[in-house]
Amino acid sequence: MRTLKQLAVDALSNLPMQGQMTIAVDAEARAILREWMLAARHGIQTPAAMSPPAAVATPPPTNAPQTVEEKLEWLRSKAQNWKAAKALGTLRDTMVFATGTPHARLMLVGEAPGYEEELQQEPFVGPAGQKLTQILAAMGIQRSEVYISNICKFRPSMGPQQNTANRPPSEAEIAACLPIIQAEIRAISPACIVCLGGTAARGLLGHAASVASQRGKWFETQGIPTRVTYHPSYLLRNDTITARRAVWEDMLAVMQKLSMNISEKQRRYFQ
Ligand code: URA
């Protein structure tokens, strides 16, 4: 039986998925919230926290998405007409959601679809995608075994001169789409997340620092261990042993985090 508190938390968590980023609260509610906030700041338990509300007799709505597949399908349909993104007028119309398995232990997050991805409506299918597939293969993983998504679900527009060129999403475009990827993470609950490039790290972790200064460490996204590494397109532009080694070291750390077997050959790839 779900409690009133659980139902309220679920309802509030789902609001961003419906494109609603704020809710109106009256003066009385504001005063209560302020009291709770001050109490939390001082480590004091509020009466509400000490005595959880009684279980609610009404069952949750039966049409609410239950399985991870249903949740993602629902999210995909919401993302299609994502008001916050459409309102910007700087993103193209085609929504590119995600690829891979909803039961993945590893989730990889890029920045935004490019020309090829928009055409095929699938993330990472262009040259950067091929590089990513190669990296995964070196780890002994197939694309179908992981979940691959992007911070921004629409290809950033280049304006009237649009050609095959791509650009990274702006801060506003990242912020507009962020609730979608956050909801995907909640639905999938992977064991480990990899931010492919600085844009993904800026969105998920709020980090504006360079990838070079973030890689080699563990962070957390919604409580999930998160690694930041270079974007595959960076490797295409800088095909140096240093860059390749850096990405491989991050991937070895990811394999270790996932308790995967690491062969001697894999361990010594760059030695
Ligand atoms: N680059 C990304 O970040 N995502 C894609 O889907 C393709 C290229």
Side-chain angles (χ1 to χ4, degrees):
M1 189 75 67
R2 295 169 69 72
T3 63
L4 183 57
K5 183 174 165 189
Q6 286 164 336
L7 290 172
V9 167
D10 284 355
L12 288 171
S13 308
N14 283 336
L15 286 180
M17 292 194 253
Q18 291 149 20
Q20 193 175 332
M21 308 306 289
T22 57
I23 55 163
V25 284
D26 64 14
E28 190 186 351
R30 259 202 311 277
I32 294 170
L33 288 171
R34 186 173 157 71
E35 198 180 297
W36 288 357
M37 190 185 71
L38 290 173
R41 222 179 254 169
H42 291 94
I44 302 163
Q45 276 206 320
T46 59
M50 285 187 286
S51 51
V56 173
T58 47
T62 48
N63 60 351
Q66 302 290 334
T67 65
V68 58
E69 286 85 356
E70 285 170 354
K71 286 178 187 169
L72 289 177
E73 222 21 71
W74 184 80
L75 203 49
R76 181 194 288 269
S77 72
K78 290 285 161 199
Q80 209 83 48
N81 295 303
W82 197 251
K83 288 196 198 107
K86 302 275 172 203
L88 294 173
T90 56
L91 294 166
R92 287 170 60 82
D93 284 341
T94 307
M95 197 277 295
V96 180
F97 195 63
T99 188
T101 171
H103 302 285
R105 296 185 65 232
L106 174 59
M107 179 165 178
L108 300 119
V109 182
E111 57 181 39
Y115 170 76
E116 283 292 342
E117 287 74 22
E118 185 185 58
L119 213 58
Q120 298 187 43
Q121 295 183 32
E122 183 177 332
F124 282 98
V125 287
Q130 284 159 24
K131 186 50 111 183
L132 178 60
T133 307
Q134 278 173 16
I135 296 168
L136 290 170
M139 297 166 76
I141 301 175
Q142 294 184 9
R143 273 173 75 100
S144 57
E145 295 173 289
V146 297
Y147 185 87
I148 304 173
S149 195
N150 278 311
I151 283 281
C152 181
K153 297 290 184 266
F154 304 84
R155 183 177 168 213
S157 166
M158 304 288 280
Q161 318 302 338
Q162 184 74 56
N163 50 23
T164 56
N166 302 308
R167 68 165 173 89
S170 67
E171 290 295 333
E173 290 162 348
I174 295 172
C177 290
L178 197 57
I180 308 175
I181 188 76
Q182 288 173 333
E184 286 170 271
I185 294 171
R186 270 199 301 281
I188 290 170
S189 189
C192 181
I193 296 173
V194 174
C195 289
L196 297 167
T199 304
R202 195 148 60 247
L204 290 189
L205 301 166
H207 294 175
S210 67
V211 172
S213 67
Q214 295 183 66
R215 58 156 302 275
K217 302 173 202 153
W218 284 106
F219 300 100
E220 275 196 3
T221 309
Q222 298 167 215
I224 297 163
T226 302
R227 200 86 175 175
V228 179
T229 197
Y230 292 113
H231 193 284
S233 63
Y234 175 85
L235 293 184
L236 294 176
R237 291 192 307 271
N238 300 277
D239 192 16
T240 63
I241 190 111
T242 314
R244 277 189 277 142
R245 179 185 285 130
V247 171
W248 186 243
E249 280 170 0
D250 289 327
M251 292 307 158
L252 284 179
V254 166
M255 289 171 77
Q256 201 158 355
K257 184 64 83 183
L258 294 172
S259 305
M260 288 173 63
N261 280 330
I262 303 179
S263 70
E264 212 42 41
K265 186 177 164 201
Q266 284 170 320
R267 210 176 284 284
R268 295 180 178 279
Y269 233 64
F270 283 96
Q271 285 174 7

